[in-house]
Each structure stands twice: as C-alpha cells, then as structure tokens.
C-alpha cells in the first residue's frame, strides 16, 4: 500500500472506458466546441481590438482541453484488443486530422491572429513563442498562397497525407504474418522462444509459427544456425507490409508537390526550416561527414566478421557454404557470436540478471535519486479508490498494464507530478515497436491551476512463463531506459501551454534527453544496481533454474563484476556498422525528400533506392549479391518513422547524439548519480519542454554552445 502522503493524487487518472460509438461522438463534440471557439474569435474580434488574449490565448485554452481527450481517443488504435474500437479510433483520428487541416487553413482566423501579431504586445517569453509559432504555422499551412486552385490543391494534399499516415500505421499495427518452421530448422534459437511459439495444425503439423514481432524476430536472427532460415525470415520481414508500398510512394510525391506550392525547393527544405539544423545542406553535410568518417571502420568490422563466419562454417563442416559474402541476415548472428567468443558475452546469461519487473524498479529508483521523484505503483483496491468511476479496471486499457502515480520527493516539495503507464508485452493488433505516448499533457488552465500529465510506455518484451519471468537482453535494457527517458521528459515538463509540453520539441532535439540517459546502462554501478538474478525472485523460479542449469554453482544475486566489465567493453564493438545502418535510414530519408525537381521524385524507384543505398552505405550484401535486382525487398513500407512525423527528420537520431554526448560527458560522466546536477538537468532541460528555443535550453544547461567533440570521441573518431 502507498505511503499516506501519496495516496490522494489531486487529479484522477484518465479513464479508458470508451466504446466505438462513444469515440466518434466524443470526437464530434470536441470538434464542434473547437470550431465554436474559432468562430467566436472571428465574430467577436475586430482587427483593431485583436490581441494575444482574445485570439491565440482563447484558442490555446481550447487546445489544452481538447488534448486531454484527443490523445487518448487516438491511442486506442495502438493498444486496444478490440478491432471495432481500434477502427473507431482510426476513424476518429481522421476526423481530428481533417479538422486540424481545416483549422490551420482558416483565412478569417489567420487575419485576426495576424492583426494581434502585428500589435507587438509585450508578452511573457512562452506566450510570445506561442504567438510566433501559431502565426507562422498559418503561412506554412498554405495561407501565403493566394486563394484559388493552388491553395485548394494544397489542402487536398494535406488531407490525403493525413489519411495515408493513419492507414500506413494501422497496417503495421495489425500485421500478423509469419513463417512456419520445424523445431529442427530453428536449431540454436533459445528454447524459451521456441516453446512459446504457436503450434501448427493440419498442413503445418509438427511446425511452429515464427511471427515478425520483436520477441520472435530478433532472437531468431541472432541465434538460428541455419543461414537459410535467417535469410528467409529477414527477406520476409522486409516484405511483411507490402500494402504500404504504394502509400509510401504517394506520400513522398505529394509532400514534394505541397512544398513546391508553398515556394520551397523540396519537402526537406520545408521541414528542416524550423528545426535546429535550419537547412538541408547542414543535414547533408553532417550525414556525409559522418559517413566518410565511419566507412573505413565499417569495412574493418566486416573483414573481422567475415573471418568469423568462415571459421564458424568450417567448424560445422560447412566450408563449401562460405562464398566470401557477408549478408544482411548474417549480421545479427555473427555480431552475437563475436561478442560471445571474443568478449565472453553470453546474452542469455546476461538476461538472467535482468528480470523485467526488477529492472523497471531499478530504473525508477535511478530516476528517483537523480531527479527527486517518487514512483508509487497503484494496484488492487488502490485503483478502485482513485478511479473516478470507483472501478480500478477503468483506469487501464488492458489487464497487463501497470500504472504509477509520480510525485516530487521531499526535497522537491512533495507535489504531485502525474501518471506513468507501462504496457510491456505483445498482443494482436498492438503497436509493434517500443515508444512513449503522451496520454494527457500538462499545462496551466484558465484559472491558473496546473493540469498534470499522464504518459504511457508501450513495448513488446517477451512474456513471463511459469518457469521464468520476462528477461531482458542488455540491448532491451537500453531500449527500456531510452523510452522511460521520454516518459520522464513527458512527466516533469512544466509549461504554460500544452502545445509545448514534454517531448513537444523540434525533432532534431527530442531524442537527446533519452539518448543521454542511455549512458546509465553502460555504467558499472548502475548495471550492478539494476541487476538481480531471477532465481532469487521466488522459490518456483529457483527450482526451475536449478533443474534447467548445467552449472552446479549458485549464481550470485547481482551481476558479477566480470560480466559487467564484459558488457561495458563491448559498447562500441561493431559500432561503425550500427551507425552506418542509422546513416542508411537518414540518407534514404533525405534522398526521397530532397528531389531536384518534381519529375525526379515521380520517377524515383523507391524500393531500389532503399536497398541500393543500404548496400552502398552499410556495405552489407543483400540478395542483389546473389544476382537478384535491388527490388527484392520493401523495407520503406515497414518504416513507420518516415510516415509518422520523422520525414526529413530521421537524421535527428544521429544529430541528437551530438547534444546527448556533450551533456553526459560535460556534466555526468564523472558522477552519473550526482543528484544536484540531475535536478539541475530536470529543471533546466526537461521542465522546459518546447517552451523556448532548444539551442537556448542547451546553452543554459552547458553554459556554452554545444560541441561535437564528445560525440566524435565516443565513436572513436577524433
């Protein structure tokens, strides 16, 4: 039971009681209210009387209220087990998006906002930023184009792009394909993976179904000894959502057309203009420089991996199978084998020390110490007590979901912070990757009262079994810490307007806070504190471990120092290849959004470009090395980032590392658990959200302009 001072949050958690019909009704109600606010601004405000308060502030207040409901309305499509509810959520999001486009192109509203903008009132910095951003967004949404066919076409494109985005992600969420293999074909794949697979019937009798979900896909690519199985799985995964191929193509063509209507040379110029990079040239130069620095290291890494592959095949009596190539479907397997053989890094052994729930508690404890927070899990009757309806099941969307109330500790004032939700296991129809979703933003309402945020971590880790809890590989620990980092950013943000809350920053900064926190997963003291061997969690687990382990010695409770040392030593093993993979994504993204003219993008062979660039940048061979054309796969059709907001922005995953490395090395490297600096980071960086220029936020924290030195040093590229 929660301590007394944490048992009465001042705000109830959100409710998840929607039905398909209520989602649509609520959406129409929100739209009608918002349209009414905009109509009132136009009807009640003259150009002479226009001010920030009676135009932008009036609409921002409505935006705040809308976000409290609209984020959850759209969230159901990512997590609900009910197909009808997911479909209604998708339909509702389309209604909201269409209304958003209509609102952003209301010339009558823009004229009064423009009048308020030109008044030059003295405003607080966040309100001034809101006024400037809102004013500029009308121009960027087509109101700088004279009324007529071109503007109408722009609006038509915006609506179609919204539809494409929704359908594209829905196809990914609901993808449920897979391949049938015999257990013998899956030799090498961990038994706890194979035993959990769906068993075949009829023509698939004696086989198991391997899905394309992460808990099936990655262990198979890492451990299956059969290159044929890995190849089949890899290629099938690249083609698992081919209904998205025409949608991706249509999206990049329409984006280019829309940018040219607005007077930009291409979509990248339009998108990057209001980011930290400002111009595509800055991005291209950064990616090109990094590519040329990483390329020699990538070739060296491939040379060593080829030697390992040749030796491995020879040891298995399969010398003739070695053809001098290192394939895409080889990489996870031989990367894992290299770590095991040359660095004594047994990922299965490491996972025994990272039971999911213990690791989460350890991570939350780190955030408590660093940022002055307290996390209180809400279970059983406590859920009933704080639920608005009195029913605890109403505050979660699925029985597996955990919910925490989050508070400031005593030193930070014991105040309420918000709610954190964890939805950790795969299920049909669920979002298939790892991500943080804002459910309700924080802001200050029209009465000066703070509204508290709610945020959800949605992941897909392997499910617990009677013999073992869910166990995390070290890379999954890093992923969890990264996404929790977004969640913390979302929780501790304290902005006036929901527009700037939490992770609502420019895309080429938003990953930096989470990337910085990943460093805690590579620190000796933190790895030790996060770890606990699963056999210590219960007598049942102890018994199951002892009966399955060939090692007669009792495992230590926490991860031994030599294993921790081995993990840390391997941080940058095959790092060039990892970053060249990221460069492939970033350069492909820029290539399809930076056409010289519209005819070029219309005739661009997108699948061929995706696969050719991967070969040229990463140097790993695909089926093209076996005589097939570059159209063998359609990875872009599975690339949700480029349809879901990271278009002409994927480079941000790499450029954010410049800022994250600088912050960590400058402030935390010498003492990662320095609570004074942690709280300064919370208040200077995380709390600000997007309420001020992100470069200013960095300079405030670092005391200077950011530098690339730590980034290149970390990559061994001085």
């Amino acid at each position: 039971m929660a301590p007394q001072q944490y048992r009465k949050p001042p705000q109830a958690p959100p409710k998840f009681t929607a039905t398909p019909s209520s989602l649509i009704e609520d959406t129409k109600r929100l739209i009608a209210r918002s349209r009414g606010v905009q109509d009132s601004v136009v009807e009640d405000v003259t150009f002479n009387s226009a001010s920030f308060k009676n135009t932008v502030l009036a609409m921002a207040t409505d935006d705040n209220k809308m976000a409290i409901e609209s984020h959850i309305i759209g969230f159901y499509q990512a997590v609900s087990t009910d197909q009808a509810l997911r479909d209604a959520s998708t339909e509702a999001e389309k209604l909201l998006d269409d209304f958003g486009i209509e609102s952003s192109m209301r010339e009558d509203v823009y004229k009064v906002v423009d009048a308020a903008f030109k008044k030059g009132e003295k405003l607080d910095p966040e309100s001034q930023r809101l006024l400037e951003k809102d004013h500029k967004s009308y121009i960027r949404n087509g109101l700088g184009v004279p009324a007529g066919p071109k503007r109408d076409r722009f609006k038509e494109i915006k609506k179609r792009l919204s539809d494409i985005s929704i359908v594209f992600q829905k196809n990914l969420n609901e993808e449920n394909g897979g391949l049938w293999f015999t257990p013998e074909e899956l030799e090498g794949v961990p038994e706890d993976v194979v035993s959990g697979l769906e068993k075949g019937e009829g023509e698939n009798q004696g086989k198991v179904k391997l899905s394309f979900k992460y808990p099936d896909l990655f262990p198979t690519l890492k451990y299956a000894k059969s290159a044929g199985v890995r190849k089949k799985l890899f290629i099938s995964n690249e083609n698992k959502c081919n209904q998205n191929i025409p949608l991706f193509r249509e999206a990049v063509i329409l984006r280019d057309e829309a940018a040219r209507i607005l007077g930009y040379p291409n979509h990248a110029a339009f998108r990057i203009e209001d980011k930290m990079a400002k111009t595509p040239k800055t991005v291209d130069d950064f990616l090109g420089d990094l590519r040329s620095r990483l390329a020699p290291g990538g070739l060296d890494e491939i040379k060593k991996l080829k030697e390992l592959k040749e030796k491995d095949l020879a040891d298995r009596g399969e010398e003739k199978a070695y053809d001098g190539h290192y394939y895409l479907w080889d990489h996870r397997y031989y990367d894992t084998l290299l770590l095991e053989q040359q660095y004594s890094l047994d990922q299965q052994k490491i996972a025994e020390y990272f039971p999911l729930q213990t690791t989460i508690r350890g991570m939350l404890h780190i955030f408590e110490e660093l940022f002055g927070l307290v996390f209180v899990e809400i279970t059983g009757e406590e859920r009933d007590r704080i639920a608005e309806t009195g029913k605890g099941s109403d505050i979660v969307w699925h029985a597996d979901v955990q919910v925490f109330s989050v508070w400031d500790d005593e030193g930070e004032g014991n105040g309420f912070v918000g709610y954190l939700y964890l939805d950790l296991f795969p299920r049909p129809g669920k979002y298939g990757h790892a991500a943080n979703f804002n459910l309700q933003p924080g802001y200050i309402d029209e009465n000066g009262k703070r509204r508290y945020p709610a945020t959800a971590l949605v992941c897909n880790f392997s499910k617990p079994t009677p013999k073992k809890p869910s166990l995390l590989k070290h890379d999954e620990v890093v992923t969890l810490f990264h996404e929790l980092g977004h969640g913390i950013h979302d929780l501790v943000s304290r902005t006036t307007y929901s527009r700037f809350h939490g992770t609502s920053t420019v895309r080429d900064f938003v990953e930096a806070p989470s990337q910085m926190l990943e460093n805690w997963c590579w620190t000796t003291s933190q790895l030790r504190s996060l770890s606990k061997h699963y056999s210590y969690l219960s007598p049942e687990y102890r018994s199951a471990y002892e009966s399955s382990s060939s090692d007669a010695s009792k495992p230590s409770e926490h991860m031994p120092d030599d294993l921790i040392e081995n993990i840390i030593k391997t941080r940058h093993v095959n790092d060039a290849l990892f970053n060249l993979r990221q460069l492939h994504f970033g350069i492909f993204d820029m290539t399809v959004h930076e056409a010289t003219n519209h005819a070029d993008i219309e005739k661009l062979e997108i699948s061929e470009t995706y696969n050719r660039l991967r070969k040229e940048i990463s140097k790993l061979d695909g089926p093209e090395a076996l005589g097939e054309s570059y159209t063998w796969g359609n990875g872009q059709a599975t690339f949700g980032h480029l349809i879901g907001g990271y278009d002409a922005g994927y480079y941000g995953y790499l450029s954010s590392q410049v800022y994250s490395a600088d912050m960590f090395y400058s402030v935390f490297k010498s003492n990662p658990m320095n609570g004074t600096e942690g709280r300064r980071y919370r208040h200077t960086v995380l709390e600000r959200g997007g309420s001020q220029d992100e470069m200013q936020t960095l300079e405030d924290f670092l005391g200077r302009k950011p530098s690339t030195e730590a980034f290149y040093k970390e990559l061994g590229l001085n």
Side-chain angles (χ1 to χ4, degrees):
M1 184 174 284
Q4 190 61 41
Q5 71 265 38
Y6 302 133
R7 292 184 63 194
K8 289 189 177 175
Q11 175 183 301
K15 297 194 298 283
F16 297 91
T17 54
T19 63
S21 59
S22 76
L23 278 186
I24 303 301
E25 288 160 13
D26 288 344
T27 301
K28 289 178 177 175
R29 170 178 53 78
L30 291 175
I31 289 171
R33 186 185 69 198
S34 193
R35 187 179 283 122
V37 170
Q38 294 169 19
D39 290 344
S40 295
V41 166
V42 173
E43 290 160 10
D44 300 344
V45 179
T46 65
F47 294 157
N48 287 334
S49 68
S51 67
F52 172 77
K53 184 177 179 182
N54 63 19
T55 59
V56 171
L57 181 59
M59 292 185 289
T61 302
D62 176 67
D63 287 346
N64 291 342
K65 292 175 184 170
M66 181 181 259
I68 291 302
E69 297 185 69
S70 64
H71 292 189
I72 291 172
I73 286 170
F75 180 62
Y76 281 104
Q77 66 189 305
V79 294
S80 177
T81 54
D82 181 347
Q83 176 79 51
L85 199 56
R86 291 200 304 270
D87 290 347
S89 173
T90 301
E91 185 185 340
E93 187 175 8
K94 182 179 180 335
L95 291 171
L96 287 165
D97 282 2
D98 284 351
F99 174 68
I101 293 163
E102 175 196 314
S103 300
S104 69
M105 295 188 71
R106 277 192 67 164
E107 189 153 24
D108 52 353
V109 177
Y110 168 60
K111 283 177 177 173
V112 288
V113 170
D114 186 50
F117 179 76
K118 287 172 177 167
K119 284 269 170 72
E121 293 172 87
K122 183 71 178 160
L123 301 170
D124 66 272
E126 189 175 337
S127 296
Q128 181 63 34
R129 184 169 174 82
L130 182 69
L131 175 60
E132 289 171 3
K133 289 262 185 189
D134 273 9
H135 183 263
K136 189 173 184 181
S137 76
Y138 286 105
I139 305 295
R140 287 173 60 81
N141 279 294
L143 292 183
V145 178
K150 281 178 85 172
R151 189 192 289 183
D152 293 344
R153 174 61 181 155
F154 181 84
K155 185 174 184 179
E156 187 185 314
I157 290 172
K158 292 278 287 182
K159 287 196 168 185
R160 178 58 188 151
L161 285 170
S162 163
D163 291 351
I164 288 172
S165 170
I166 292 167
V167 174
F168 192 98
Q169 188 58 55
K170 185 175 175 65
N171 288 340
L172 285 174
N173 289 351
E174 301 193 349
E175 179 279 315
N176 64 351
L179 298 169
W180 293 94
F181 291 108
T182 63
E184 294 73 27
E185 287 176 302
L186 297 179
E187 183 191 355
V189 180
E191 171 56 28
D192 53 352
V193 174
V194 178
S195 63
L197 299 176
E198 180 188 334
K199 309 291 186 289
E201 295 175 359
E203 64 179 20
N204 290 312
Q205 187 77 37
K207 294 183 177 181
V208 289
K209 185 182 180 184
L210 201 65
S211 77
F212 301 121
K213 306 297 182 201
Y214 284 2
D216 294 358
L217 177 74
F218 290 150
T220 307
L221 290 173
K222 283 181 175 182
Y223 295 106
K225 291 188 175 181
S226 165
V229 165
R230 297 195 310 270
K231 176 186 176 185
K232 187 174 181 182
L233 179 61
F234 185 93
I235 293 173
S236 298
N237 184 59
E238 293 279 296
N239 290 287
K240 68 184 175 187
C241 222
N242 283 355
Q243 65 269 47
N244 280 346
I245 298 170
L247 295 178
F248 190 97
R249 176 179 177 73
E250 186 182 357
V252 296
I253 290 172
L254 289 176
R255 286 168 179 166
D256 187 78
E257 183 184 352
R260 292 174 196 278
I261 289 172
L262 295 181
Y264 292 89
N266 50 52
H267 183 67
F270 167 71
R271 287 287 282 165
I272 294 168
E273 176 187 63
D274 61 353
K275 294 193 175 79
M276 294 180 82
K278 305 302 182 199
T279 69
K281 184 179 186 307
T282 303
V283 174
D284 292 337
D285 288 350
F286 169 71
L287 296 177
D289 175 57
L290 192 53
R291 179 181 176 181
S292 63
R293 290 179 187 235
L294 287 168
L299 291 172
D300 286 346
E301 289 168 7
I302 288 172
K303 184 168 178 282
K304 288 176 186 156
L305 288 160
K306 276 184 175 179
E307 289 168 2
L308 178 63
K309 178 181 175 180
E310 186 174 14
K311 181 179 182 305
D312 173 57
L313 290 171
D315 289 348
R316 288 198 261 149
E318 299 176 24
E319 297 94 333
K320 290 180 181 174
Y322 183 66
D323 59 3
H325 289 287
Y326 187 71
Y327 295 106
L328 292 162
W329 49 89
D330 286 332
H331 186 56
R332 287 186 190 270
Y333 180 80
Y334 286 107
D335 181 51
T336 302
L337 196 61
L338 179 85
L339 294 175
E340 285 179 0
Q341 291 188 357
Q342 297 183 17
Y343 294 89
S344 306
L345 200 72
D346 182 342
Q347 294 286 4
Q348 302 303 317
K349 177 63 72 180
I350 287 167
E352 292 177 2
Y353 285 94
F354 290 125
L356 177 59
Q357 290 303 326
T358 311
T359 306
I360 286 169
R361 282 197 294 276
M363 288 181 179
L364 295 180
H365 182 65
I366 288 172
F367 291 134
E368 287 178 333
E369 284 195 27
L370 206 52
F371 300 136
L373 296 168
V374 178
F375 295 86
V376 180
E377 186 165 10
I378 305 166
T379 57
E381 291 178 4
E382 294 273 320
R383 289 190 180 185
D384 296 332
R385 199 176 47 73
I386 68 166
E388 268 184 344
T389 61
K391 282 179 63 182
S393 58
D394 289 348
I395 67 168
V396 292
W397 54 90
H398 189 272
D400 287 348
V401 173
Q402 295 170 258
V403 58
F404 297 78
S405 61
V406 187
W407 304 77
D408 287 320
D409 68 9
E410 195 173 339
E412 289 291 316
N414 283 328
F416 183 62
V417 173
Y419 292 102
L420 171 67
Y421 288 82
L422 304 179
D423 183 354
L424 301 170
F425 305 116
R427 53 180 184 268
K430 181 182 164 183
Y431 179 82
H433 303 275
N436 178 249
F437 291 80
N438 173 265
L439 300 175
Q440 294 183 328
Y443 58 85
I444 295 173
D445 70 18
E446 61 268 43
N447 301 313
K449 187 181 171 196
R450 176 153 291 283
R451 173 86 203 187
Y452 301 99
T455 194
L457 232 69
V458 177
C459 302
N460 287 275
F461 299 121
S462 59
K463 283 192 162 188
T465 68
K467 293 183 177 180
K468 278 185 187 175
S470 176
L471 299 175
L472 301 179
K473 310 290 190 295
H474 181 256
D475 60 345
E476 293 177 314
V477 174
V478 176
T479 295
L480 185 58
F481 218 79
H482 177 100
E483 296 304 338
L484 259 176
H486 286 310
I488 299 301
H489 197 176
D490 209 3
L491 283 165
V492 304
S493 173
R494 291 178 74 83
T495 59
T496 302
Y497 306 108
S498 62
R499 161 80 176 269
F500 298 128
H501 175 79
T503 56
S504 301
T505 67
V506 289
R507 289 280 184 179
D508 49 359
F509 175 76
V510 72
E511 297 298 334
S514 282
Q515 287 170 337
M516 192 195 78
L517 289 167
E518 289 178 21
N519 288 285
W520 275 253
C521 300
W522 298 97
T523 305
T524 302
S525 55
Q526 271 56 64
L527 283 172
R528 189 177 296 112
S529 70
L530 284 175
S531 69
K532 186 184 181 86
H533 196 277
Y534 79 89
S535 63
Y536 286 82
L537 300 184
S538 75
E540 292 79 15
Y541 288 152
R542 166 63 60 87
S543 172
Y545 172 75
E546 288 173 350
S547 65
S548 66
S549 176
S550 56
D551 186 352
S553 62
K554 180 181 172 185
S556 58
E557 184 173 2
H558 294 284
M559 188 177 284
D561 289 347
D562 59 337
L563 206 49
I564 291 174
E565 196 179 312
N566 288 346
I567 290 173
I568 292 170
K569 268 195 312 199
T570 62
R571 181 170 189 179
H572 297 299
V573 172
N574 294 332
D575 218 12
L577 285 174
F578 173 81
N579 284 294
L580 286 166
R581 177 176 180 266
Q582 290 293 86
L583 274 173
H584 162 240
F585 294 146
I587 291 171
F588 169 75
D589 175 27
M590 292 300 289
T591 301
V592 297
H593 291 123
E594 212 179 359
T596 308
N597 55 62
H598 191 61
D600 283 356
I601 191 66
E602 286 188 306
K603 34 179 217 265
L604 185 71
E605 296 291 344
I606 293 175
S607 295
E608 183 181 320
T609 301
Y610 183 86
N611 293 316
R612 181 177 46 75
L613 282 173
R614 174 158 54 191
K615 168 63 181 160
E616 290 172 358
I617 295 165
S618 75
K619 304 299 183 188
L620 302 183
D621 290 327
E624 68 282 342
L626 298 170
E628 292 191 38
S629 73
Y630 275 113
T631 57
W632 60 266
N634 300 284
Q636 79 282 2
T638 72
F639 201 170
H641 283 79
L642 296 198
I643 299 294
Y646 277 83
D647 43 303
Y650 197 87
Y651 73 89
Y653 275 102
L654 287 162
S655 65
S656 292
Q657 286 182 37
V658 173
Y659 311 131
S660 64
D662 199 4
M663 289 190 289
F664 180 73
Y665 276 84
S666 303
V667 179
F668 292 106
K669 179 81 166 75
S670 59
N671 181 7
M673 293 310 297
N674 183 329
T676 303
E677 289 293 8
R679 284 155 178 78
R680 185 172 76 85
Y681 178 70
R682 171 184 171 177
H683 297 307
T684 310
V685 178
L686 302 180
E687 222 170 67
R688 303 278 171 83
S691 64
Q692 70 175 18
D693 187 273
E694 289 79 4
M695 187 58 77
Q696 185 62 53
T697 297
L698 280 167
E699 289 179 22
D700 289 347
F701 182 64
L702 293 168
R704 55 168 171 76
K705 290 191 180 300
S707 156
T708 57
E709 184 183 345
F711 172 65
Y712 284 126
K713 185 178 177 184
E714 179 70 17
L715 292 178
L717 297 173
N718 279 15

